[in-house]
Amino acid sequence: MTSAVCPGSFDPVTYGHLDVIERAASRFDQVLVACTSNLGKEPLFAVDERVDLVRAATAHLDNVRIETFDGLLVDFCRAHGVGLIVKGLRAVSDFEYELQMAQMNSTIGEVETLFMTTSPVYSFLSSSLVKEVARFGADVSGFVPPVVAAALRARLG
Ligand code: PNS
């Protein structure tokens, strides 16, 4: 059985994340979405809320499971017996840091990283930008699933 881990902070999950998760789910037998509980910055949504939103947004995907992790991603991968991470690349600016993380994860945990180029329609999207525009009342329905848009409205007013 082929498996992959799609990691992230998902604060909150966007259509850009979903694009990568859906494409991974169509290529692997099982996809584990790994939501970190340790962001190093104050998240808008608590980890349980972020997980609930990812779960609701991926409910149509039978082979996708959501888990949280705290600590190293390679330890999560090892604990679940998965040796492959799938990440989205939006632009060249993503590449430098993603390359460092991929090489670190390969070195300390022998975990491979496969990059998927983000669909061009979502290449400008980030959770931070979505939160920023939502905070000022912009319509975010083109950027996040309805359940996330509702959660943003409830949290930000
Ligand atoms: O959604 P993000 O912020 O791009 O996700 C980044 C994430 C959570 C995948 C990355 O920060 C991570 O793997 N964190 C876990 C801690 C870890 O393993 N750090 C070493 C990375 S080489």
Side-chain angles (χ1 to χ4, degrees), residues 7-10 17 36 69 71-74 87 98 101 104-105:
S9 37
F10 306 109
H17 295 123
T36 183
F69 75 104
L72 288 177
L73 180 57
V74 291
K87 292 214 79 180
E98 292 294 344
M101 286 202 287
M104 180 60 85
N105 286 332

Side-chain angles (χ1 to χ4, degrees), residues 8-9 35-41 43 47 50 68-72:
S9 37
C35 182
T36 183
S37 57
N38 187 2
L39 286 193
K41 57 187 173 197
V47 65
R50 286 183 271 132
T68 61
F69 75 104
D70 180 20
L72 288 177

Side-chain angles (χ1 to χ4, degrees), residues 92-110:
V92 176
S93 50
D94 278 347
F95 182 70
E96 211 165 321
Y97 186 49
E98 292 294 344
L99 176 68
Q100 281 185 308
M101 286 202 287
Q103 291 174 331
M104 180 60 85
N105 286 332
S106 152
T107 304
I108 64 174
E110 292 177 33

